[in-house]
Amino acid sequence: MHVPQLQSFHRLYCLLALCLTLVACGAHKQQEVNQAYYSKGGSPVNFVVQQAPRRDRSEYPAYTANPVKQTLEHPVSTFSVDVDTSSYSILRSHLKRGVMPPVEAIRTEELLNYFSYDYGLPQESDEPFLPQITVLDSPWSEDKQLVHIGIKGYDIERQEQPDSNLVFLLDVSGSMMAENKLPLAKRSIKLLLKSLKPTDTISLVVYAGSTGVVLKPTKVKHKAKIINALGSLRAGGGTAGAAGLALAYEQAMQNFQEDAVNRIFLATDGDFNIGAHSNDELQAMVEKYRDEGIYLSVLGFGGYNYQDDMMQAIAQHGNGIAAYIDTLQEAKKVLVDEATSSLFPIANDVKIQIEFNPATVAEYRLLGYETRQLAREDFNNDKVDAGEVGAGHSVTAIYEISPTSSSKQSVDPLRYQQPVADKPESLTNNNFADELGFLKIRYKLPGSETSRLISTPIAAQTQTDNEATFASAVALYAELIKNSVYIQNANLDDVVTMAKETKGRDEYGYRAEFIQLVELSRHLN
């Protein structure tokens, strides 16, 4: 190499080294300055450093897909309800970036429960659910059926809504700098203010390398004060999440109102890296305050390092929802359009149990709810925690079953037991020959320690129902993108056809968006 070329190469090398040094120093300076400002009760400066793209370090709950179970061996299925929707928003966020989501990020029940369904509404708050059961032919498995279970919670009229004592705990650490994190969280809270009553109360607590109270309990009628406090927030520093959570609970306790909804909304990407941050430690904290009447919901933001597993765990143990906010439109859905279901609980520890009839059902498989499975004995144990359902919230579950008459059973019959058809009298009372199973729902009214029971038989009669068919399309989509071994005779084209035919009124356009996402998936697979 000639001398001029060597000199040019040397200059380029020095320039690159200088740029890398400035970026590193700038990031370190950002953290120092912001921590100093927060320690004095102020807001950090807006010192932005452009960062290189990072590898996706997001973490999701580990689970194994539900297997097919023979009714003779395992006649009872029990699970906790789930009204979280994070998985659907995470899916959408990935697709709009032009990539398929990790399989472990897809939870079938959260895709199902992202949508509202036209289920019957109960008339009394004391019995807040009216089960709607539909049996239909499986659209993807010949000679099998789907048992679709839908419930919608009792809805609360605005004049009946109690006051809300809400504490927003905002992660303002350095990992929250991106536009789709802290800035989006602030805009989301501003949207919520439009759904609240003037007598509701808002507090703002922040955490980064240290924690602080940005806004003490303030009535929503002083909206300008709340918006000014939000506007002062900037991101920078470490992530002392557990300390921030403790301070948020302290604020909630100071303003605790017996007849109000007392709830913390944690807005974060879940990247707790200072202090106690294991799921077990955080769960213990939220369970303690949950039992004292302060619930915790999680609003997740961002990508590449989103700790979905932690967010799911603490929301479940805090009697709250876990939602992932990837767009302002999603914030509107969660905090405006579905404000009553997000804020006002109508039932706690909601569990579902089905006893299948071995004379009519040879085998079954629950689609989703893998992280919500319960032991059979947990159903009647009022000390076992389960899901919370908010006012007007829909809950959907789907089982795929093989009737005893089906030639497409997944599991061979046992050699040393006679087929069901040869001895029905030993397996079931003849009075139940027209039943596929028996559904039981157990729940607690808010503030009660004793559960109540709703039960109804599942008739062995197939029907046609648009809401059940649309839900089946969503479940099929989830199973296909998870590469389920149980789906062999269907594809994404079938999902689009089913969804288009049963889209219905679609007031907010969520079902139309789903169809668009399925069509986008066809090009990314």
Side-chain angles (χ1 to χ4, degrees):
M1 186 179 293
H2 297 296
V3 172
Q5 290 177 312
L6 283 173
Q7 289 175 337
S8 297
F9 179 82
H10 180 70
R11 283 196 297 269
L12 180 61
Y13 176 83
C14 291
L15 181 60
L16 178 61
L18 177 61
C19 290
L20 291 173
T21 302
L22 287 173
V23 169
C25 290
H28 181 68
K29 186 64 177 177
Q30 169 80 74
Q31 180 172 333
E32 286 185 343
V33 171
N34 287 344
Q35 285 179 334
Y37 267 65
Y38 273 124
S39 67
K40 296 177 181 179
S43 302
V45 296
N46 189 14
F47 189 95
V48 179
V49 176
Q50 184 67 38
Q51 297 181 346
R54 293 180 296 167
R55 181 170 60 88
D56 191 347
R57 301 176 185 272
S58 300
E59 295 183 13
Y60 305 98
Y63 67 85
T64 302
N66 290 325
V68 173
K69 293 189 176 182
Q70 284 191 297
T71 308
L72 276 173
E73 297 178 5
H74 305 283
V76 179
S77 172
T78 310
F79 62 93
S80 162
V81 302
D82 186 4
V83 293
D84 294 341
T85 59
S86 297
S87 184
Y88 185 90
S89 302
I90 291 170
L91 161 71
R92 178 178 57 208
S93 178
H94 277 79
L95 292 178
K96 290 190 173 181
R97 296 203 305 262
V99 295
M100 293 299 293
V103 170
E104 60 270 22
I106 303 304
R107 294 180 289 275
T108 301
E109 70 278 10
E110 294 191 21
L111 271 63
L112 283 172
N113 290 317
Y114 184 83
F115 302 95
S116 179
Y117 298 91
D118 189 20
Y119 302 147
L121 272 173
Q123 300 302 309
E124 301 292 335
S125 59
D126 284 353
E127 191 167 298
F129 304 117
L130 183 65
Q132 183 170 313
I133 304 171
T134 305
V135 179
L136 59 159
D137 291 329
S138 172
W140 59 78
S141 295
E142 183 183 355
D143 221 13
K144 294 191 178 185
Q145 296 175 336
L146 302 183
V147 177
H148 170 276
I149 301 162
I151 58 176
K152 179 170 281 191
Y154 173 80
D155 209 355
I156 301 175
E157 298 294 336
R158 185 168 178 83
Q159 62 270 20
E160 299 175 346
Q161 294 173 4
D163 283 347
S164 297
N165 168 34
L166 305 180
V167 179
F168 278 89
L169 174 59
L170 292 117
D171 180 350
V172 293
S173 63
S175 67
M176 291 287 287
M177 276 186 197
E179 188 63 26
N180 65 342
K181 294 190 178 184
L182 181 60
L184 180 57
K186 291 157 61 175
R187 293 197 296 272
S188 301
I189 297 172
K190 290 177 184 177
L191 283 181
L192 174 64
L193 293 177
K194 298 178 181 179
S195 302
L196 299 176
K197 305 194 303 292
T199 52
D200 293 333
T201 304
I202 294 283
S203 306
L204 297 178
V205 176
V206 298
Y207 67 93
S210 57
T211 61
V213 177
V214 173
L215 181 71
K216 292 185 177 180
T218 302
K219 296 295 183 184
V220 171
K221 64 182 179 181
H222 303 298
K223 187 179 298 185
K225 185 177 180 181
I226 299 171
I227 292 175
N228 286 339
L230 284 169
S232 71
L233 302 179
R234 299 289 186 275
T239 318
L245 201 52
L247 183 57
Y249 278 120
E250 181 182 311
Q251 289 297 302
M253 287 297 294
Q254 286 179 8
N255 195 49
F256 186 85
Q257 301 172 43
E258 192 68 40
D259 297 327
V261 171
N262 299 277
R263 186 181 295 276
I264 293 172
F265 279 98
L266 169 60
T268 180
D269 60 6
D271 190 12
F272 290 10
N273 56 32
I274 297 177
H277 58 272
S278 76
N279 287 6
D280 289 343
E281 291 172 294
L282 295 171
Q283 286 173 23
M285 183 187 298
V286 299
E287 285 175 0
K288 172 189 172 185
Y289 287 100
R290 176 198 70 199
D291 294 341
E292 295 184 27
I294 300 175
Y295 294 170
L296 172 72
S297 291
V298 175
L299 304 177
F301 294 87
Y304 297 106
N305 65 341
Y306 184 61
Q307 305 302 300
D308 183 55
D309 57 342
M310 181 180 293
M311 300 299 94
Q312 290 289 317
I314 60 178
Q316 287 178 15
H317 289 265
N319 272 14
I321 63 166
Y324 179 77
I325 309 296
D326 57 331
T327 64
L328 195 60
Q329 181 65 27
E330 182 65 15
K332 178 179 178 293
K333 177 181 186 292
V334 174
L335 298 175
V336 178
D337 302 338
E338 300 173 357
T340 54
S341 58
S342 300
L343 290 175
F344 306 115
I346 54 144
N348 295 331
D349 294 339
V350 184
K351 308 168 188 174
I352 290 179
Q353 185 173 83
I354 294 183
E355 178 189 355
F356 285 101
N357 181 355
T360 55
V361 178
E363 57 191 23
Y364 64 89
R365 179 174 69 95
L366 175 61
L367 278 64
Y369 290 95
E370 286 91 352
T371 64
R372 294 283 191 159
Q373 293 295 302
L374 296 174
R376 180 176 176 179
E377 61 270 20
D378 290 342
F379 184 75
N380 291 326
N381 187 345
D382 284 350
K383 292 189 177 298
V384 174
D385 181 55
E388 173 203 52
V389 176
H393 222 142
S394 299
V395 179
T396 300
I398 297 177
Y399 285 87
E400 183 178 38
I401 65 169
S402 297
T404 52
S405 59
S406 172
S407 62
K408 300 292 185 180
Q409 296 178 26
S410 300
V411 182
D412 290 335
L414 297 173
R415 175 182 176 87
Y416 301 106
Q417 292 188 26
Q418 291 177 296
V420 173
D422 291 349
K423 53 171 189 175
E425 69 284 348
S426 66
L427 292 169
T428 185
N429 188 308
N430 286 334
N431 293 330
F432 303 142
D434 60 349
E435 293 181 7
L436 296 177
F438 194 66
L439 168 68
K440 295 189 288 187
I441 302 172
R442 193 168 283 284
Y443 65 95
K444 295 176 186 172
L445 293 176
S448 175
E449 296 297 322
T450 305
S451 65
R452 299 185 177 198
L453 180 67
I454 297 172
S455 59
T456 185
I458 302 173
Q461 180 179 355
T462 58
Q463 300 170 271
T464 301
D465 181 86
N466 280 354
E467 295 297 87
T469 302
F470 182 84
S472 301
V474 176
L476 174 57
Y477 175 61
E479 295 290 296
L480 285 171
I481 60 177
K482 288 194 296 185
N483 302 315
S484 171
V485 298
Y486 301 107
I487 307 296
Q488 298 176 352
N489 299 318
N491 55 42
L492 293 177
D493 291 337
D494 298 314
V495 175
V496 171
T497 300
M498 291 168 60
K500 283 183 175 180
E501 290 176 351
T502 57
K503 181 167 69 72
R505 190 162 59 96
D506 195 24
E507 180 179 0
Y508 296 109
Y510 301 138
R511 296 188 179 193
E513 181 194 52
F514 169 72
I515 294 169
Q516 292 172 359
L517 293 179
V518 178
E519 291 176 331
L520 179 58
S521 301
R522 292 191 296 190
H523 299 286
L524 296 178
N525 266 338

